[in-house]
Amino acid sequence: MITSSFKTTKSDEIFAAAQKLMPGGVSSPVRAFKSVGGQPIVFDRVQGAYAWDVDGNRYIDYIGTWGPAICGHAHPEVIKAICDAAQKGTSFGAPCRLENVLAEMVIDAVPSIEMVRFVNSGTEACMSVLRLMRAFTGRDKLIKFEGCYHGHADMFLVKAGSGVATLGLPDSPGVPKSTTNNTLTAPFNNLEAVKALFDENPGEIAGVILEPVVGNAGFIVPDGGFLAGLRELTRENGALLVFDEVMTGFRIAYGGAQEKFGITPDLTTLGKIIGGGLPVGAYGGRRDIMDMVAPAGPMYQAGTLSGNPLAMTAGIKTLELLRQAGTYEQLDRLTKRLAEGMLQVAKETGHAACGGQISGMFGFFFNAGPIHNYEDAKKSDLNKFSRFHRGMLKQGIYLAPSQFEAGFTSLAHTDADVDETLAAAREVMASL
Ligand code: KE4
């Protein structure tokens, strides 16, 4: 709990200097707090459920470096495994047994994945999987959903979520029309709109890519039948179904959304958690499709640090911790308490709010709801969200600095942390 003596002197100094060195003073836009106002907090260290800033303030962290810290920050077993692996070198640029180990764990866990290729980020995974979709089908067009974010590769920066939505960017300059005129969009949860796109573009659509549970337009769950409907529509039209599980993979279930909802896509992208806090992304799926990837097949994709032993080690240890019995039940119970508690507090303090959670992923909107898609989400009270975010920050609660992001818990978060968070939320919401 931080009282009114919330000091951010050092944070402010360091961030001021950072803005002279790096665009916006950050390495990724959403960290700049642009949409919630005020200066961002400069972290000094993290451990378990907590972060400490350079002024010594402690926060309960509900971002967890945007998903990877699901076992808690700096988990001692993960850190030890990384330190031990580092003694043997950080990167080989050659085949390494550890790639086999993590590949087997991913293949065993994720229903759609028969073969996998490691890359270094979710963006790389998504841009590679799009090239593969096009290579396999010989078609150029793709369907994505408004508000979904699949990394910052050109062809996905159309009505994208996350930082693009946060900053209200009209998509991005520097992206030639020629790269996005094959990108078709539909509202999330709208099967009719997807069917219409297939009818209007017969034989031209390589596939549909989506966040099966949206985290980049705020937290939006698929309506009943939506995922099954997409599976059917893609099959009927000879197109591929791709789940971008960079955020949901190993987060909402050990086998991701595809295990949770029982829908098996043709291809899947992963990131975040499988790197255990180091840079790892991956794409994988049906063997007949993955066999097209070089050097097995003609579709080219490469990377200097892909599959490096250090990142593989962090991912292996993280998944070992996650596959232990009771993990997802613990995440679900605690996060359910948090999400339901937040909505209860909003109700008691007279604020329209809606939201929910699945396992360790949650979100809420200052909006009466229901929220089925990005258009609905955009009607939320963004100004109120900003004031809430700042108030919670001063109470030592670190929430995603955007209405168009999701929140994340970890195995390190406790009931006491949730109690402290709900008490802070009550105080802040009462003051809004
Ligand atoms: P990265 O390139 O940031 O590793 O992954 C891109 C990506 C792809 N697909 C989904 C579903 C994602 O959520 C992401 C990245 N998520 C954002 C948070 N919404 C990363 C945070 C940031 O951009 O700083």
Side-chain angles (χ1 to χ4, degrees):
M1 192 76 83
I2 293 175
T3 58
S4 56
S5 67
F6 178 59
K7 266 185 344 62
T8 60
T9 319
K10 290 201 181 107
S11 257
D12 296 346
E13 273 166 25
I14 293 169
F15 188 62
Q19 287 174 297
K20 297 191 183 79
L21 301 167
M22 299 165 282
V26 291
S27 297
S28 196
V30 73
R31 304 178 194 172
F33 279 25
K34 274 259 186 285
S35 80
V36 290
Q39 301 273 55
I41 298 299
V42 175
F43 278 18
D44 174 54
R45 68 184 179 93
V46 290
Q47 180 68 49
Y50 310 121
W52 286 263
D53 68 17
V54 287
D55 291 284
N57 300 307
R58 188 202 81 163
Y59 304 85
I60 302 174
D61 180 11
Y62 287 107
I63 297 183
T65 179
W66 298 97
I70 190 169
C71 295
H73 283 298
H75 189 289
E77 289 182 54
V78 176
I79 297 297
K80 180 175 184 321
I82 291 172
C83 292
D84 292 348
Q87 308 306 321
K88 296 172 72 178
T90 57
S91 178
F92 298 162
C96 161
R97 184 189 62 82
L98 294 169
E99 293 170 272
N100 296 22
V101 175
L102 187 56
E104 274 183 335
M105 294 176 88
V106 167
I107 290 164
D108 289 349
V110 184
S112 63
I113 298 184
E114 296 174 335
M115 284 189 96
V116 66
R117 166 61 62 87
F118 293 116
V119 293
N120 300 282
S121 69
T123 291
E124 242 193 295
C126 291
M127 60 188 277
S128 306
V129 90
L130 175 56
R131 185 177 306 136
L132 180 57
M133 289 160 71
R134 288 170 162 166
F136 184 75
T137 61
R139 302 175 179 180
D140 291 342
K141 292 183 177 174
L142 82 143
I143 295 174
K144 73 174 286 291
F145 294 91
E146 294 156 16
C148 282
Y149 178 71
H150 304 293
H152 63 81
D154 283 357
M155 35 302 170
F156 293 119
L157 291 182
V158 178
K159 297 179 186 173
S162 185
V164 180
T166 298
L167 303 176
L169 297 176
D171 299 319
S172 168
V175 176
K177 206 76 197 89
S178 57
T179 56
T180 55
N181 59 20
N182 282 318
T183 304
L184 310 173
T185 60
F188 192 71
N189 279 321
N190 187 329
L191 281 174
E192 284 313 305
V194 176
K195 188 178 180 314
L197 288 173
F198 274 115
D199 294 346
E200 290 152 20
N201 301 274
E204 295 179 79
I205 296 172
V208 176
I209 185 168
L210 71 151
E211 297 176 54
V213 174
V214 181
N216 289 294
F219 179 78
I220 305 176
V221 299
D223 291 344
F226 180 61
L227 298 180
L230 289 178
R231 181 64 282 179
E232 202 180 314
L233 274 173
T234 44
R235 276 222 179 90
E236 282 166 10
N237 289 277
L240 298 174
L241 179 61
V242 183
F243 279 6
D244 175 357
E245 297 225 42
V246 167
M247 188 183 280
T248 55
F250 296 95
R251 165 68 55 185
I252 66 171
Y254 191 65
Q258 53 198 273
E259 174 190 280
K260 180 90 186 169
F261 292 100
I263 301 292
T264 302
D266 300 298
L267 294 166
T268 299
T269 54
L270 297 167
K272 296 179 189 280
I273 289 172
I274 64 166
L278 294 188
V280 177
Y283 63 101
R286 282 171 28 198
R287 183 179 296 277
D288 63 319
I289 304 176
M290 292 303 289
D291 271 341
M292 286 207 73
V293 178
M299 189 220 92
Y300 196 70
Q301 178 270 313
T304 303
L305 292 169
S306 297
N308 72 74
L310 207 53
M312 295 292 102
T313 298
I316 290 163
K317 183 50 72 178
T318 297
L319 297 197
E320 282 174 358
L321 292 167
L322 287 175
R323 72 182 173 192
Q324 289 169 14
T327 296
Y328 292 90
E329 291 78 3
Q330 176 182 338
L331 285 167
D332 198 52
R333 182 193 65 78
L334 187 115
T335 315
K336 191 177 177 69
R337 261 198 75 213
L338 174 71
E340 291 182 348
M342 285 290 224
L343 296 180
Q344 185 57 29
V345 166
K347 188 169 171 221
E348 290 169 6
T349 50
H351 298 287
C354 68
Q357 56 73 233
I358 300 179
S359 181
M361 182 175 170
F362 70 93
F364 63 90
F365 300 89
F366 282 114
N367 183 319
I371 294 194
H372 296 286
N373 57 39
Y374 183 41
E375 277 313 306
D376 295 342
K378 284 197 288 188
K379 293 175 187 139
S380 305
D381 186 336
L382 303 185
N383 179 281
K384 184 178 285 187
F385 180 87
S386 302
R387 287 181 286 122
F388 177 67
H389 182 273
R390 197 77 201 164
M392 291 294 270
L393 198 66
K394 291 181 176 176
Q395 296 279 339
I397 311 297
Y398 194 73
L399 299 172
S402 163
Q403 178 67 92
F404 304 115
E405 293 289 355
F408 306 104
T409 54
S410 80
L411 293 172
H413 285 79
T414 63
D415 281 302
D417 294 322
V418 171
D419 294 341
E420 183 178 337
T421 304
L422 295 178
R426 183 179 299 283
E427 193 174 324
V428 175
M429 285 198 198
S431 73
L432 291 182

